[in-house]
Amino acid sequence: MAIATINPATGQTEQTFDALTDGEIEAALARSEAAARATRATPIDARAGWLREAARLIRSENETLAAMMTREMGKTYTSALAEAEKCAWVCDFYADHGPRFLADRPIETAAQTSFARWLPLGPVLAVMPWNFPFWQVFRFAVPAILAGNAGLLKHASNVPQCALAIEDIFRRAGVPAGGFQTLLIGGGQVAKVLEDPRVRAATLTGSEGAGRAVGETAGRALKKVVLELGGSDPFIVMPSADLGDAVAHAVKGRLLNNGQSCIAAKRFIVHADVYSAFRDQFAAALEAQNVGDPMDDATDIGPLATQDIRDELSGQVADTLAAGGRRVVGAEPIHGEGFYFRPGLIEDVPSGSPGAQEELFGPVATLFKASSLDAAIEIANGTRFGLGSAIFTQERSEMERAFNELDAGATFVNAITASDPRLPFGGVKASGHGRELAEDGIREFLNLKSCSIGASI
């Protein structure tokens, strides 16, 4: 894929970029190594100051940044403003709490003094996706910088302007030159960067294929890697649920970011006692969504990010219907200018079809009927993914079973799954491994060193 801004609302190419040459990559790696040493030597309170300044810059320039996100990947302008604010929030969160997360941990031994200390690894490569072009990067970069590491960003090729803007924010916030760099490179250049001994670890958010490739390369080089991959998150509705509330959350959860979110609710598993009522209300709400110009405040759903994504979703829907699924509403491309797709719902989804087993990365929901909570959990776990999950119920015993039995990195009750700086984020099974955010996330790319002073001193 060319490194270019192609406006999803029009399909027009607005700007193209040349990939870095081998010489330019080498220079960037040298800068990163030097910056990692400088950042490591900088007191943590000063690093926290960089984050607070980055938060100030984001908030002061949020309209420009939001318009850039919308122009490059099609999210609604309103949601892009919210994404910018979330990036400022994660900066504030780690500036406030990060020093405590990284404090020495006293350990009682026979020595005079023993403790565990967290120390940075050095340059970390981040391979990031286009769907949340700022947030996905900031949730890696902010804790990495505070911890004393340097960041190297290989962003998705369709959001180059966002990638360059992020580098510019950190530079102006005071991060040492080379402390966070955007590498405008193609996917074929990633392995060479990751194999370089100056790069000490990697993190990737993206597809299973990309995760395997980065994981294999990192494994051969014995480097730490965090992978946040796809999801096909279950959304369970039980008879005790507030049905109107469940439907409202179902619409929000499925259509978040034009339906292009790894943790979006995708498979809706509804108890037989409330199935028909939920289906009818959900279908009506999906039909009522306003699809259109993502810069218009009245728009609920903007375009999908690329033509290829729209075509792939169309194929998955067609294969699900051919296997026996039934279209309730929508779930079809909107032909004309831009990459639009009508929100939709499919029921009677066969267990082996794409609607049951694959991630549908767009505004299409699949609906399943369950005779009991046992059956609902079995359907929920009947996929290779394990990222997020949700259950709507008023019964405490059902909540506890969901917490304990759903194979996922997160379970939310009476709410949609959401990433939050205060909560660890990540998945199991084919959804990846490792954690981002919270106290756990900042420690992923650190050396936990045991330190001890002998009793004779």
Side-chain angles (χ1 to χ4, degrees):
M1 177 186 290
I3 302 173
T5 298
I6 300 174
N7 191 327
T10 64
Q12 299 301 307
T13 299
E14 297 189 353
Q15 191 171 354
T16 59
F17 298 80
D18 293 327
L20 297 182
T21 64
D22 288 346
E24 290 169 330
I25 293 172
E26 168 58 32
L29 289 170
R31 287 193 298 269
S32 184
E33 185 179 41
R37 290 194 295 268
T39 301
R40 178 176 181 144
T42 302
I44 194 168
D45 288 345
R47 295 180 221 155
W50 301 339
L51 301 185
R52 291 191 174 94
E53 177 61 11
R56 188 195 68 78
L57 289 170
I58 292 166
R59 290 188 172 109
S60 67
E61 301 167 13
N62 64 340
E63 294 182 354
T64 298
L65 300 176
M68 183 184 299
M69 292 184 233
T70 298
R71 186 172 61 252
E72 287 209 300
M73 60 71 53
K75 69 170 66 253
T76 63
Y77 178 69
T78 300
S79 67
L81 286 172
E83 181 170 338
E85 175 55 33
K86 195 169 186 179
C87 293
W89 177 25
V90 78
C91 290
D92 289 338
F93 174 80
Y94 277 109
D96 292 342
H97 301 285
R100 175 173 58 84
F101 296 158
L102 300 182
D104 289 349
R105 187 173 80 225
I107 301 172
E108 186 174 344
T109 70
Q112 178 181 320
T113 303
S114 296
F115 58 92
R117 174 167 292 175
W118 298 98
L119 295 170
L121 295 180
V124 180
L125 174 65
V127 181
M128 293 287 109
W130 48 264
N131 56 335
F132 292 93
F134 271 69
W135 170 243
Q136 300 277 13
V137 177
F138 271 79
R139 75 187 194 194
F140 148 73
V142 168
I145 289 170
L146 185 72
N149 292 311
L152 291 163
L153 171 64
K154 190 287 181 212
H155 216 328
S157 294
N158 59 325
V159 289
Q161 293 185 56
C162 290
L164 293 169
I166 294 168
E167 177 182 327
D168 182 61
I169 288 169
F170 284 123
R171 179 188 58 78
R172 288 187 287 137
V175 175
F180 185 90
Q181 297 177 85
T182 283
L183 304 179
L184 291 182
I185 59 177
Q189 297 171 285
V190 171
K192 185 175 181 179
V193 173
L194 182 51
E195 289 167 351
D196 191 286
R198 289 167 291 191
V199 175
R200 301 298 300 275
T203 180
L204 176 139
T205 298
S207 68
E208 292 176 75
R212 288 192 183 94
V214 166
E216 289 172 3
T217 301
R220 286 194 298 272
L222 299 178
K223 295 179 181 181
K224 176 70 179 290
V225 64
V226 169
L227 301 176
E228 193 268 280
L229 308 178
S232 187
D233 288 7
F235 182 109
I236 297 171
V237 182
M238 297 302 291
S240 66
D242 179 326
L243 201 60
D245 183 61
V247 170
H249 278 89
V251 173
K252 182 179 179 181
R254 177 60 284 211
L255 301 184
L256 177 70
N257 203 41
N258 303 337
Q260 300 165 122
S261 171
C262 295
I263 54 170
K266 297 186 177 78
R267 294 177 299 129
F268 295 81
I269 305 163
V270 184
H271 192 280
D273 290 353
V274 292
Y275 179 89
S276 295
F278 178 89
R279 177 197 59 204
D280 294 346
Q281 292 181 39
F282 191 20
L286 291 173
E287 280 194 299
Q289 298 298 301
N290 181 24
V291 181
D293 180 359
M295 290 298 295
D296 189 335
D297 289 343
T299 294
D300 299 309
I301 306 292
L304 298 182
T306 70
Q307 182 174 327
D308 286 347
I309 291 167
R310 185 180 68 176
D311 292 347
E312 180 178 1
L313 181 60
S314 296
Q316 290 172 309
V317 168
D319 290 346
T320 300
L321 296 176
R326 189 183 77 83
R327 189 197 311 268
V328 181
V329 292
E332 57 192 359
I334 300 173
H335 298 290
E337 185 179 76
F339 312 131
Y340 292 92
F341 205 95
R342 197 176 310 284
L345 178 63
I346 301 173
E347 66 174 347
D348 299 332
V349 178
S351 59
S353 68
Q357 295 298 323
E358 298 178 9
E359 180 175 32
L360 303 187
F361 217 59
V364 176
T366 53
L367 191 59
F368 303 81
K369 184 186 294 186
S371 59
S372 64
L373 181 58
D374 285 340
I377 291 173
E378 183 178 359
I379 295 170
N381 290 339
T383 171
R384 66 184 184 280
F385 296 109
L387 192 54
S389 58
I391 185 170
F392 282 73
T393 177
Q394 300 301 318
E395 299 291 336
R396 184 70 195 188
S397 62
E398 294 176 344
M399 299 177 192
E400 286 296 325
R401 286 196 60 193
F403 288 142
N404 290 330
E405 298 178 34
L406 290 175
D407 294 335
T411 295
F412 282 58
V413 174
N414 298 328
I416 60 172
T417 304
S419 57
D420 182 318
R422 299 164 294 190
L423 296 173
F425 183 86
V428 295
K429 301 195 294 186
S431 290
H433 53 73
R435 292 296 180 264
E436 298 177 294
L437 300 175
E439 186 171 0
D440 309 271
I442 197 172
R443 293 175 173 173
E444 286 283 6
F445 297 117
L446 292 172
N447 169 25
L448 179 59
K449 177 182 279 190
S450 293
C451 303
S452 185
I453 300 175
S456 61
I457 297 298

